[in-house]
């Protein structure tokens, strides 16, 4: 029987602001959409935190036996620099500054994004659609919204009529905002006079003469609004109503609020059953943002080439650090915090690596099934990775007590315990066993040191010490081979 049939997952729904039992639209299937990157620059660690959490959600649903369609888009057009329907497209601006084609910008940073996620052991999404690959569908959705009476064209641009929509719907249902507040807080921007109402948002923008990225439409040569692509691609690949929509908390308004309005206009129903939002990642207690220069790139953590950390850290240590905090809480990134996480991670890996040396006994002194259920209960409670990790460390303590002979475990329980801890550590949390690699590097360093000492002994004609080093290494399974270019070794 699939594990999902015996595990009831509860999700904190940003829409209802409560935890709700997860009931998928289609039995045994999960449809999940997560807003991906706008590929005009390198993704910083704050961006990656969101994708890392939803990678764990994806992994857990797969572990439970669900068939998951995970859609994460690439925004390669239409994202204006101030998110308020004015200014330059972020990608076009980058292309103009660097005097290259916009699609060169897109390619460069899409490749970088994928490289980073691969290094951090992300599973690829089921589908990764792009905005530019769905221009036709976006134009068709705009036509439908106009036909429904909730959009209007003016001077070649098309805007969503928020006031008209709000007369029969609730614009602000996700963010808790209302139109009066939106009007009060809206700044007057150049070109905004085209709109009937200042809070209306663009579905299609007419391109000016400088704008490189443009497509023909019934209204003008132009480009789609940023919010439109996600409504189009989520419903195309997941249906008019699907299970989960995720993203960072900063996307609640206006992006996700606008998505709801667009999709509901076309389908007549709420498009998403469970909205999930991750919180901010701070850097040394301040908001991580490129605009302030207070950020760190994921690749810089792995190389140690940065001004923030005391040394380089592995991808798994960073994953472990992220999972030690609830996704809905603010997390503060610092060198001290990573060092503490590294100690915990290495302790966990040491215990997991020693499981193969544990011998089964006739009986078990600990209830393994009860411990196993606590691990599932943690993940079933809104993917509570910090609580899961605390239970995994109960497992670490148990392993150490088994090695000391203070606890016992029978053969069937040992198999269940080993399978469970490996499943949660590697399959669900997505950690890699970097500790083995680090241990191997240390062994290599020790052998190289002994080879150096042996060479010094040979140079000093201390043949007895030279032979002793060679022979004792051989007993340990390390075979030395002297050649014209020095001494090499193999480990058997």
């Amino acid at each position: 029987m699939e594990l999902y049939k015996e595990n009831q997952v509860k999700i904190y729904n940003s829409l209802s602001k409560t935890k709700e039992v997860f009931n998928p639209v289609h039995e045994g299937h999960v449809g999940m959409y997560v807003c991906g990157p706008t590929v005009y620059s390198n993704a910083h660690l704050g961006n990656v935190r969101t994708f890392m959490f939803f990678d764990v959600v994806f992994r857990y649903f797969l572990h439970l036996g669900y068939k998951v369609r995970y859609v994460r888009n690439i925004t390669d057009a239409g994202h204006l620099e101030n998110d308020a329907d004015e200014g330059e497209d972020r990608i076009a601006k980058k292309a103009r500054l660097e005097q290259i084609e916009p699609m060169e910008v897109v390619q460069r940073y899409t490749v970088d994004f994928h490289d980073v996620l691969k290094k951090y052991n992300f599973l690829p999404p089921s589908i990764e659609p792009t905005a530019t690959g769905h221009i036709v569908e976006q134009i068709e959705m705009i036509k439908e919204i106009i036909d429904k009476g909730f959009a209007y064209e003016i001077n070649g641009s098309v805007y969503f009529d928020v006031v008209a929509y709000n007369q029969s719907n609730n614009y602000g249902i996700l963010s808790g905002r209302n139109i009066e507040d939106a009007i009060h807080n809206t700044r007057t921007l150049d070109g905004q006079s085209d709109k009937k109402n200042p809070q209306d948002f663009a579905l299609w923008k007419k391109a000016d003469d400088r704008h490189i990225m443009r497509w023909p439409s019934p209204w003008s040569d132009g480009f789609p609004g940023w919010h439109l692509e996600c409504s189009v691609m989520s419903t195309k690949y997941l249906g008019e109503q699907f299970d989960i929509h995720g993203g960072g908390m900063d996307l609640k308004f206006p992006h996700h609020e606008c998505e709801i309005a667009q999709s509901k206009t076309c389908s007549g129903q709420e498009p998403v059953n469970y909205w999930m939002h991750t919180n901010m990642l701070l850097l040394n207690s301040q908001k991580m943002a490129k605009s302030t220069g207070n950020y760190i790139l994921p690749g810089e953590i792995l190389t140690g080439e940065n001004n923030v950390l005391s040394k380089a850290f592995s991808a798994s240590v960073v994953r472990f650090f992220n999972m030690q905090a609830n996704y809905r809480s603010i997390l503060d990134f610092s060198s001290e915090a990573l060092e503490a996480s590294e100690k915990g991670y290495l302790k966990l890996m040491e215990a997991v690596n020693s499981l193969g040396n544990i011998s089964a006994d006739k009986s078990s002194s600990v209830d393994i099934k009860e411990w196993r259920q606590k691990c599932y209960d943690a993940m079933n409670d809104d993917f509570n990775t910090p609580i899961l990790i605390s239970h995994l460390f109960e497992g670490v303590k148990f392993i150490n007590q088994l090695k000391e002979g203070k606890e016992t475990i029978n053969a069937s329980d040992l198999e269940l315990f080993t399978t469970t801890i490996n499943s949660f550590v590697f399959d669900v949390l997505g950690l890699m066993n970097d500790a083995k690699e680090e241990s191997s590097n240390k062994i290599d360093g020790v052998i190289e040191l002994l080879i150096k000492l042996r060479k010094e002994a040979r140079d000093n004609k201390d043949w007895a010490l030279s032979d002793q080093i060679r022979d004792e290494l051989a007993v340990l399974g390390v075979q030395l081979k002297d050649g014209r270019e020095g001494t090499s070794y193999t480990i058997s």
Side-chain angles (χ1 to χ4, degrees):
M1 183 174 71
E2 292 88 351
L3 284 169
Y4 70 79
K5 292 183 178 178
E6 56 190 58
N7 285 278
Q8 186 182 76
V9 176
K10 288 185 177 179
I11 295 176
Y12 182 85
N13 191 346
S14 299
L15 194 63
S16 65
K17 297 175 178 57
T18 59
K19 288 182 185 178
E20 300 176 9
V21 174
F22 177 67
N23 290 307
V25 175
H26 303 289
E27 172 69 25
H29 293 73
V30 176
M32 181 169 73
Y33 186 92
V34 174
C35 292
T38 301
V39 283
Y40 70 100
S41 65
N42 305 103
H44 64 63
L45 190 65
N47 307 134
V48 172
R49 182 193 183 188
T50 292
F51 304 128
M52 192 174 288
F53 167 69
F54 285 105
D55 180 62
V56 171
V57 173
F58 183 30
R59 286 170 172 273
Y60 188 58
F61 279 130
L62 290 173
H63 173 74
L64 292 180
Y66 282 103
K67 292 181 179 179
V68 187
R69 178 173 288 178
Y70 174 24
V71 182
R72 187 186 65 216
N73 72 302
I74 295 285
T75 297
D76 58 354
H79 193 168
L80 301 184
E81 55 187 332
N82 62 15
D83 297 346
D85 298 336
E86 301 301 330
E88 256 187 294
D89 180 288
R90 295 183 183 214
I91 293 164
K93 181 179 180 181
K94 185 80 169 183
R96 178 176 57 79
L97 291 174
E98 297 194 12
Q99 295 185 322
I100 58 177
E101 284 290 325
M103 283 299 126
E104 288 184 74
V105 174
V106 167
Q107 179 71 3
R108 176 190 302 171
Y109 294 113
T110 300
V111 169
D112 177 76
F113 177 68
H114 289 152
D115 285 347
V116 166
L117 268 53
K118 186 175 182 180
K119 288 174 183 175
Y120 280 82
N121 201 31
F122 280 64
L123 297 178
S126 314
I127 303 172
E128 193 173 50
T130 64
T132 56
H134 295 76
I135 298 295
V136 171
E137 292 93 335
Q138 292 181 76
I139 290 172
E140 290 305 309
M141 179 172 267
I142 294 171
K143 289 178 181 177
E144 187 173 354
I145 295 172
I146 292 173
D147 290 344
K148 295 281 179 68
F150 293 121
Y152 55 92
E153 182 268 333
I154 186 165
N155 295 331
S157 293
V158 181
Y159 296 97
F160 188 94
D161 192 331
V162 170
V163 172
Y165 172 82
N166 198 59
Q167 289 175 356
S168 54
N169 298 277
N170 181 5
Y171 183 77
I173 189 171
L174 179 65
S175 61
R177 303 189 182 203
N178 57 54
I179 286 186
E180 287 73 24
D181 290 339
I183 293 172
H184 179 73
N185 293 321
T186 299
R187 295 173 297 160
T188 301
L189 300 169
D190 292 340
Q192 198 160 273
S193 58
D194 277 354
K195 301 179 183 180
K196 288 183 181 178
N197 314 291
Q199 65 274 22
D200 294 349
F201 58 89
L203 298 174
W204 187 264
K205 289 287 289 182
K206 180 180 180 179
D208 61 31
D209 294 338
R210 298 177 306 152
H211 205 96
I212 307 170
M213 303 180 79
R214 60 173 68 211
W215 292 265
S217 79
W219 314 286
S220 65
D221 279 3
F223 54 94
W226 170 40
H227 315 304
L228 191 66
E229 65 178 275
C230 289
S231 285
V232 164
M233 292 187 283
S234 62
T235 54
K236 176 174 180 176
Y237 297 111
L238 299 174
E240 290 185 341
Q241 189 171 49
F242 57 95
D243 299 308
I244 297 170
H245 194 314
M249 193 169 286
D250 57 315
L251 296 181
K252 268 190 186 180
F253 189 89
H255 186 53
H256 289 163
E257 199 74 72
C258 295
E259 276 191 63
I260 292 174
Q262 292 165 160
S263 299
K264 191 173 180 182
T265 294
C266 294
S267 69
Q269 60 184 341
E270 296 293 340
V272 179
N273 288 341
Y274 306 90
W275 285 90
M276 300 180 69
H277 293 91
T278 57
N279 214 324
M280 286 189 301
L281 180 66
L282 304 181
L283 177 57
N284 293 324
S285 303
Q286 295 182 340
K287 182 180 178 181
M288 193 177 292
K290 288 194 173 179
S291 58
T292 62
N294 189 54
Y295 70 92
I296 188 168
L297 300 179
E300 295 174 337
I301 301 170
L302 304 182
T303 63
E305 297 173 359
N306 59 78
N307 299 320
V308 177
L309 304 175
S310 59
K311 61 172 188 174
F313 291 90
S314 74
S316 285
V317 168
V318 179
R319 282 190 76 108
F320 187 71
F321 163 77
N322 272 279
M323 298 309 145
Q324 284 181 293
N326 186 282
Y327 75 96
R328 289 188 285 117
S329 64
I330 293 173
L331 179 58
D332 195 357
F333 182 89
S334 67
S335 189
E336 294 76 16
L338 265 193
E339 287 170 15
S341 290
E342 184 178 52
K343 290 177 183 176
Y345 163 75
L346 292 174
K347 185 177 179 181
L348 176 61
M349 288 301 119
E350 181 184 3
V352 171
N353 290 337
S354 67
L355 264 175
N357 300 322
I358 301 293
S359 299
D361 213 317
K362 293 181 180 178
S363 62
S364 299
S365 55
V366 170
D367 190 334
I368 299 302
K369 290 181 180 177
E370 180 184 359
W371 169 82
R372 175 180 180 270
Q373 190 56 53
K374 287 197 293 185
C375 292
Y376 279 100
D377 288 345
M379 287 301 290
N380 292 341
D381 183 17
D382 194 33
F383 311 97
N384 200 328
T385 54
I387 299 300
L388 169 65
I389 289 172
S390 72
H391 295 320
L392 293 177
F393 274 94
E394 289 176 18
V396 169
K397 182 180 179 182
F398 177 55
I399 291 169
N400 292 332
Q401 289 174 334
L402 285 171
K403 291 192 290 186
E404 294 168 6
K406 295 179 180 179
E407 301 282 4
T408 60
I409 189 168
N410 65 35
S412 61
D413 278 351
L414 178 58
E415 182 180 355
L416 180 64
F417 180 76
T418 302
T419 300
T420 302
I421 200 165
N422 277 288
S423 292
F424 280 106
V425 169
F426 301 117
D427 298 342
V428 175
L429 293 181
L431 301 178
M432 297 174 285
N433 208 338
D434 299 330
K436 278 187 176 180
E437 183 179 339
E438 185 172 325
S439 176
S440 177
N441 290 339
K442 288 179 179 178
I443 291 171
D444 290 341
V446 171
I447 295 173
E448 294 290 352
L449 175 61
L450 289 169
I451 289 174
K452 182 181 178 182
L453 293 174
R454 178 172 175 265
K455 182 179 183 300
E456 290 176 1
R458 286 162 66 90
D459 291 344
N460 294 329
K461 300 188 186 309
D462 188 347
W463 309 115
L465 178 57
S466 170
D467 291 346
Q468 183 184 0
I469 292 173
R470 180 198 63 202
D471 295 342
E472 291 193 13
L473 283 174
V475 170
L476 296 172
V478 180
Q479 306 295 327
L480 299 185
K481 184 178 180 180
D482 297 316
R484 291 175 62 183
E485 297 181 0
T487 302
S488 60
Y489 66 92
T490 57
I491 302 176
S492 57

